[in-house]
Amino acid sequence: MREVFHQSLEDLQSRLVEIAELVTVSIDKATRAFATSDVALAEEVIADDAKIDELAVALDEQAIEILARQQPVARDLRIVVTALRVSASLERMGDMSEHIAQLARLRFPERAIPKGLKGTFVKMGELDVEISRTLTELLRTQDLKFADAIRNADDDVDELHASVFEKVLSDNWKGEAVATVDATLASRYHERFADHAVAVAKKVVYLATGDWHVEEEDIALAVEQQEQLGHA
Amino acid sequence: MREVFHQSLEDLQSRLVEIAELVTVSIDKATRAFATSDVALAEEVIADDAKIDELAVALDEQAIEILARQQPVARDLRIVVTALRVSASLERMGDMSEHIAQLARLRFPERAIPKGLKGTFVKMGELDVEISRTLTELLRTQDLKFADAIRNADDDVDELHASVFEKVLSDNWKGEAVATVDATLASRYHERFADHAVAVAKKVVYLATGDWHVEEEDIALAVEQQEQLGHA
């Protein structure tokens, strides 16, 4: 019975890793489609999002099945509830990729990235892809140093997000309304993508520490503790 | 034991209703602050959001406690898991109110609602408040006709959301970049608020029907079934 149960938990974990891998593919394709106005690539991202949604629903069903049949308690219960929360965040990350791809498709054959912001969005896209890869490693290994790396990369995304508004609201912004709308939405989607990754990182920290209410500064603390305990 | 258990479930439900009531107050204040550039009202919304977050965390802790101690199965298990999901959506709805209030505060003493869009945003705000009230009734009564009403009002919000972009991207839009940014973000926040309410409505329909994967068209069907069964 215990063995069956631990098999189910491992299965939940590998499903999360699988979804995170698909999210990484989707944000990578979406940001490339957005940078290069590649409408075929954008279409792929939009089509692939259904797969991410489906896997998230299947994972949720399995988690509820585990709750019903195996009635886990203590740490095991926390793992299952955390899996439900993480799948919801991954699903939303997939939605953000899809929204970015939709912007690229909507403006085609024009370029969706407004003039003067190309470098910023390319950098934001690279950071989101890196965050998604790091998140996959975090889910695979539960090594909290990855949670810390996500939080740091999110700070960089937030800075770029702020710089987009600075640029758009500056006197030398010559973009038309459509460029302003695109910059605003695209920046928000990139920023939300990273935010969801931080939310997942907090949940994994919760799992390691037992503290539901994880603040950003607690991540670094938890990493230290894990290192001291020799888990990392 | 059963009695204690049903008491806990009722307690979960009244906590959800309580949070939904606070969300209604917050979206009502936020949209009024946004329409009238009332910075004091905006500050209230921002301060009150911490209370909503706190209540959502407390509800989650209680739900996990119930899972651990009482190990519910079948419908009872579904109620507890649904409560976890609903609290996450309500928390996000509170965040959307806060974002709308932050826009009002950011532009003060200027008006955040761009010229030519006042009527649209007042209408969107009224719809969001109505949706939030209806959601509270849905959570209180589990009467699925409220789920149907939320879905219909969300369609109206989506139409207004599309009309904002139509306006902003039309040739006669004379707004500066700051007006374009505000219109884009505010419209997105109003639309997301309503989306989250629809997500909650779907979860309540799931609870009534047992089907996890609720599509929008399933809500109307479930209402019909509930009416035929004489529950409504």
Side-chain angles (χ1 to χ4, degrees):
Chain A
M1 182 65 187
R2 287 303 291 171
E3 206 165 307
V4 172
F5 179 62
H6 279 281
Q7 188 52 49
S8 338
L9 289 190
E10 274 172 31
D11 192 28
L12 269 191
Q13 188 194 5
S14 26
R15 279 168 184 251
L16 286 177
V17 171
E18 184 191 0
I19 301 175
E21 281 168 347
L22 289 181
V23 168
T24 303
V25 171
S26 97
I27 189 68
D28 178 48
K29 284 184 181 173
T31 54
R32 283 191 288 127
F34 187 65
T36 62
S37 304
D38 185 335
V39 76
L41 203 57
E43 294 283 5
E44 275 182 42
V45 174
I46 294 162
D48 292 350
D49 190 55
K51 180 73 188 162
I52 293 174
D53 293 351
E54 209 177 277
L55 288 175
V57 168
L59 184 146
D60 291 354
E61 276 164 6
Q62 200 204 349
I64 296 192
E65 193 74 13
I66 293 174
L67 289 176
R69 294 196 178 217
Q70 320 206 354
Q71 312 211 319
V73 293
R75 184 175 155 81
D76 293 339
L77 172 61
R78 281 198 274 133
I79 293 175
V80 179
V81 172
T82 302
L84 279 170
R85 287 157 186 261
V86 169
S87 95
S89 292
L90 292 174
E91 193 266 316
R92 286 302 295 159
M93 290 170 78
D95 288 346
M96 294 303 114
S97 300
E98 188 186 14
H99 290 340
I100 293 168
Q102 280 165 336
L103 272 183
R105 184 175 69 173
L106 186 64
R107 299 306 171 215
F108 183 81
E110 300 295 315
R111 176 159 292 187
I113 295 189
K115 259 191 200 157
L117 285 171
K118 174 138 193 199
T120 307
F121 278 112
V122 166
K123 187 71 199 136
M124 270 183 128
E126 286 169 358
L127 281 167
D128 274 357
V129 173
E130 180 196 318
I131 284 172
S132 193
R133 285 210 182 99
T134 311
L135 185 60
T136 312
E137 285 316 298
L138 174 65
L139 292 169
R140 196 194 309 277
T141 63
Q142 255 110 67
D143 183 338
L144 299 187
K145 74 167 184 251
F146 293 117
D148 207 31
I150 289 167
R151 195 203 42 171
N152 289 333
D154 175 57
D155 287 346
D156 296 341
V157 172
D158 286 346
E159 259 178 48
L160 290 168
H161 181 54
S163 81
V164 168
F165 288 105
E166 234 168 73
K167 173 95 181 186
V168 164
L169 299 179
S170 72
D171 288 338
N172 60 4
W173 174 249
K174 302 282 177 260
E176 292 186 7
V178 61
T180 309
V181 167
D182 288 351
T184 303
L185 288 178
S187 192
R188 170 101 184 135
Y189 298 148
H190 281 86
E191 182 241 355
R192 287 297 300 152
F193 184 94
D195 279 353
H196 284 294
V198 172
V200 173
K202 285 184 188 174
K203 284 161 200 154
V204 177
V205 171
Y206 153 71
L207 210 51
T209 61
D211 184 3
W212 258 130
H213 209 61
V214 176
E215 299 295 335
E216 303 237 333
E217 53 274 24
D218 297 332
I219 295 181
L221 194 68
V223 174
E224 254 179 56
Q225 286 169 344
Q226 196 185 51
E227 276 168 2
Q228 280 165 8
L229 290 167
H231 286 229
Chain B
M1 181 64 186
R2 288 301 293 169
E3 206 164 307
V4 172
F5 180 61
H6 279 280
Q7 188 52 48
S8 338
L9 288 190
E10 274 171 34
D11 192 27
L12 271 191
Q13 189 196 5
S14 25
R15 279 167 183 252
L16 286 176
V17 170
E18 183 191 0
I19 301 175
E21 281 167 346
L22 289 181
V23 168
T24 303
V25 171
S26 96
I27 188 68
D28 178 49
K29 284 184 182 174
T31 53
R32 282 191 289 127
F34 187 65
T36 62
S37 303
D38 185 334
V39 76
L41 203 57
E43 295 284 4
E44 275 182 41
V45 175
I46 295 161
D48 291 351
D49 191 55
K51 179 73 188 163
I52 292 174
D53 293 351
E54 207 178 278
L55 288 175
V57 169
L59 184 147
D60 291 355
E61 276 163 6
Q62 199 205 349
I64 298 195
E65 192 74 14
I66 293 175
L67 289 175
R69 294 196 176 215
Q70 320 207 353
Q71 311 211 319
V73 293
R75 184 175 154 79
D76 293 340
L77 172 60
R78 283 198 272 133
I79 292 175
V80 179
V81 173
T82 302
L84 279 170
R85 287 159 187 260
V86 169
S87 94
S89 292
L90 292 174
E91 193 266 316
R92 286 301 296 158
M93 290 169 78
D95 288 346
M96 294 304 114
S97 301
E98 188 185 14
H99 290 339
I100 292 167
Q102 279 165 335
L103 273 183
R105 184 175 68 174
L106 186 64
R107 299 306 171 213
F108 183 81
E110 302 295 313
R111 176 160 292 188
I113 294 190
K115 259 191 200 158
L117 284 171
K118 172 135 194 201
T120 307
F121 277 113
V122 166
K123 186 73 198 135
M124 269 182 129
E126 286 170 356
L127 280 167
D128 274 356
V129 172
E130 179 195 317
I131 284 172
S132 193
R133 284 210 183 100
T134 310
L135 186 60
T136 311
E137 284 317 297
L138 174 65
L139 291 169
R140 195 195 309 276
T141 62
Q142 254 110 67
D143 182 338
L144 299 187
K145 74 168 185 249
F146 294 117
D148 207 31
I150 289 168
R151 194 200 45 170
N152 289 333
D154 175 57
D155 287 345
D156 296 340
V157 171
D158 286 347
E159 259 178 49
L160 290 168
H161 181 53
S163 82
V164 168
F165 289 105
E166 235 168 73
K167 173 95 181 187
V168 164
L169 300 178
S170 72
D171 288 338
N172 61 5
W173 174 249
K174 302 282 177 260
E176 292 187 7
V178 61
T180 308
V181 167
D182 288 350
T184 303
L185 288 178
S187 191
R188 171 103 183 133
Y189 299 148
H190 281 85
E191 183 242 354
R192 288 296 300 153
F193 184 93
D195 279 354
H196 284 293
V198 172
V200 173
K202 285 184 187 174
K203 285 161 200 153
V204 177
V205 170
Y206 153 71
L207 209 52
T209 61
D211 183 4
W212 258 128
H213 209 61
V214 176
E215 299 295 335
E216 304 238 333
E217 53 275 25
D218 298 333
I219 295 180
L221 194 67
V223 173
E224 253 178 58
Q225 286 168 345
Q226 197 185 49
E227 276 168 2
Q228 280 165 7
L229 290 168
H231 286 228

